[in-house]
Amino acid sequence: LSHCYWVGITCTTNGYVMGIEMESRNLKGQLPYELGKISTLKDIILNNNELTGNIPVELGNLEHLEQLYLFENDITGDLPDDKGVCTLIPLKSLDVLWVDCDKVNCPSFPSICCTKCGKEGIDPVKISGPDTSTDNNTSSGGGGESGESGEITEVDKELRAQQIQLRLEDISFPITTSQTRLSALEWITDSDPMKLPADAPLLVDRYILTLFYYALDGENWLIEEGETMWLTELSHCYWVGVTCKIGGDNDVMSIDLESRNLKGRLPYEIGKMSSLKLLILNDNALTGTIPVEFGKLDNLVNLYLYNNDMDGDLIDDKGVCVLRTPNQALSELWVDCDKLKCPPSPSTCCTKCGKDGTAPELSPGPPNTGGGSESSGPTTGDG
């Protein structure tokens, strides 16, 4: 028979191998480097076996690889960030690299080459990894300062704080006359265990998410046991509800906080998260209007804001409605049409209304109060 009929093999219609799935099949030995020559491979699922050796560097040639499951084996060695399978991350093909992080030495943060660890699929940042201790080891945990981190002078700290504020003033204005924004700034500069420098690519998204937390009563969000709370030492890419691009600058791609007890007005700074594709905030207690700055989110695909207390007008030629014009990405804008005033037909700005997802033309509009247009700038974000 054709190899396409062999157990565990999936092929394209032309007979090219797309997948090898041999989970729990008693495989033993080292992976042959020649696997890296099967250029059409998308999935390699080999977990729960007795594989040994290293992950062949040649697997970095698999530019279409999307999933690589190697956990629950005896594979060891280093995964360098700049060669081998880790190079598939910047190419945006590899979504899941699941290994035994206590045996395989994954690159340290900010790299997120490895996406899951061990049988339970734990976040790599929560795993100590193989014992590679050296004299230069540093800790990101809650212990006391040591090494060079304890030698930072007050002058250095003040200079860093000034540089961070200067950079973030391009995002928030005015940053120091709004208590919510000031709280976010102070957390980033003084309390954030990551202690990012002012030029860190992660800084802007981390600040905006911190502002989001303070503006929407983050202390009272509904977080389930085992979920990662916000404002922790972990990368914000691991905070509950947040998803980031793999590789590059780890830009935030989605925020999904449905039914989490969010309260308050959306900060307009969300409109600066240019990679955002999904914003799922339905079934909360949000108030105010949809910031006009959301119209700058050129990659936004879904915006769910129904079952909240938001109001105001949505104007067809500005704000989020411009994302519903031809050649724009937004496919779904789901709001409470009895509170938010959607543009009338033939506009297609709003796509669904209320909890039931009723078509806008079948949903009653809000009472005519003569006001409540979309707001902009520093009027949003503070309760």
Side-chain angles (χ1 to χ4, degrees):
L1 293 179
S2 162
H3 55 268
C4 295
Y5 293 98
W6 296 353
V7 63
I9 303 297
T10 305
C11 293
T12 67
T13 55
N14 295 326
Y16 294 107
V17 175
M18 292 178 61
I20 303 174
E21 182 173 349
M22 299 291 288
E23 175 185 354
S24 303
R25 294 281 186 173
N26 198 34
L27 277 60
K28 299 178 181 179
Q30 299 190 23
L31 291 174
Y33 70 85
E34 289 87 350
L35 279 176
K37 302 295 181 71
I38 306 179
S39 60
T40 51
L41 264 177
K42 289 188 174 182
D43 301 299
I44 302 178
I45 311 297
L46 304 177
N47 53 289
N48 294 87
N49 285 292
E50 296 181 34
L51 301 177
T52 57
N54 298 333
I55 300 175
V57 70
E58 289 80 5
L59 296 193
N61 297 325
L62 298 175
E63 295 185 357
H64 300 287
L65 190 64
E66 296 177 358
Q67 299 186 94
L68 178 57
Y69 290 9
L70 296 174
F71 64 94
E72 291 286 280
N73 280 288
D74 292 312
I75 294 175
T76 59
D78 295 345
L79 285 178
D81 211 23
D82 58 352
K83 67 178 181 178
V85 72
C86 286
T87 62
L88 299 177
I89 301 300
L91 293 174
K92 301 181 177 65
S93 61
L94 188 59
D95 292 325
V96 180
L97 175 56
W98 194 342
V99 297
D100 295 308
C101 301
D102 58 341
K103 302 173 185 176
V104 175
N105 189 17
C106 296
S108 58
F109 182 83
S111 168
I112 52 173
C113 174
C114 303
T115 61
K116 294 184 178 182
C117 294
K119 184 178 180 179
E120 305 299 330
I122 300 172
D123 293 338
V125 292
K126 296 181 179 179
I127 301 293
S128 60
D131 185 7
T132 57
S133 57
T134 68
D135 292 339
N136 294 322
N137 252 2
T138 59
S139 171
S140 59
E145 293 183 335
S146 63
E148 292 183 357
S149 62
E151 299 172 4
I152 298 176
T153 67
E154 290 301 320
V155 173
D156 292 333
K157 292 179 181 178
E158 182 63 27
L159 179 60
R160 172 178 169 272
Q162 291 174 356
Q163 291 172 337
I164 288 176
Q165 180 175 331
L166 185 63
R167 182 179 180 193
L168 295 181
E169 280 179 344
D170 289 335
I171 306 300
S172 286
F173 55 95
I175 197 168
T176 56
T177 59
S178 157
Q179 184 55 53
T180 302
R181 292 174 178 84
L182 185 58
S183 295
L185 174 64
E186 290 176 345
W187 188 83
I188 288 291
T189 55
D190 300 332
S191 302
D192 185 358
M194 286 188 70
K195 300 297 181 187
L196 292 173
D199 59 352
L202 296 171
L203 181 68
V204 170
D205 276 1
R206 194 167 177 86
Y207 163 74
I208 294 174
L209 290 176
T210 302
L211 173 59
F212 186 95
Y213 175 88
Y214 281 112
L216 302 179
D217 194 25
E219 288 188 355
N220 293 306
W221 290 356
L222 300 177
I223 306 296
E224 297 181 5
E225 184 177 354
E227 293 180 324
T228 304
M229 188 55 186
W230 288 35
L231 306 198
T232 66
E233 74 279 2
L234 298 180
S235 162
H236 51 264
C237 297
Y238 296 103
W239 295 352
V240 62
V242 177
T243 305
C244 296
K245 283 183 179 180
I246 298 176
D249 294 336
N250 302 148
D251 295 336
V252 173
M253 292 181 64
S254 72
I255 303 173
D256 186 349
L257 290 169
E258 174 185 355
S259 303
R260 294 284 187 171
N261 198 37
L262 278 61
K263 298 177 183 178
R265 301 164 68 95
L266 291 173
Y268 68 86
E269 287 87 347
I270 297 172
K272 304 292 181 74
M273 304 181 89
S274 59
S275 296
L276 198 62
K277 290 186 175 183
L278 304 177
L279 188 56
I280 312 298
L281 304 177
N282 53 286
D283 293 277
N284 285 292
L286 302 177
T287 56
T289 61
I290 301 176
V292 70
E293 288 80 4
F294 280 25
K296 300 174 183 177
L297 296 173
D298 291 336
N299 293 304
L300 192 64
V301 176
N302 291 326
L303 177 56
Y304 292 3
L305 296 173
Y306 65 92
N307 262 19
N308 281 289
D309 293 313
M310 302 182 72
D311 55 19
D313 295 350
L314 289 175
I315 302 172
D316 215 18
D317 60 354
K318 72 174 183 177
V320 72
C321 284
V322 303
L323 301 179
R324 288 282 300 149
T325 55
N327 301 320
Q328 293 290 335
L330 188 61
S331 63
E332 195 146 80
L333 174 57
W334 193 343
V335 297
D336 295 310
C337 301
D338 59 340
K339 301 173 185 176
L340 276 163
K341 185 177 181 182
C342 296
S345 180
S347 170
T348 58
C349 177
C350 303
T351 60
K352 291 183 179 179
C353 296
K355 184 177 181 179
D356 297 325
T358 308
E361 59 269 20
L362 301 178
S363 177
N368 187 2
T369 59
S373 62
E374 277 185 304
S375 68
S376 173
T379 58
T380 58
D382 281 321

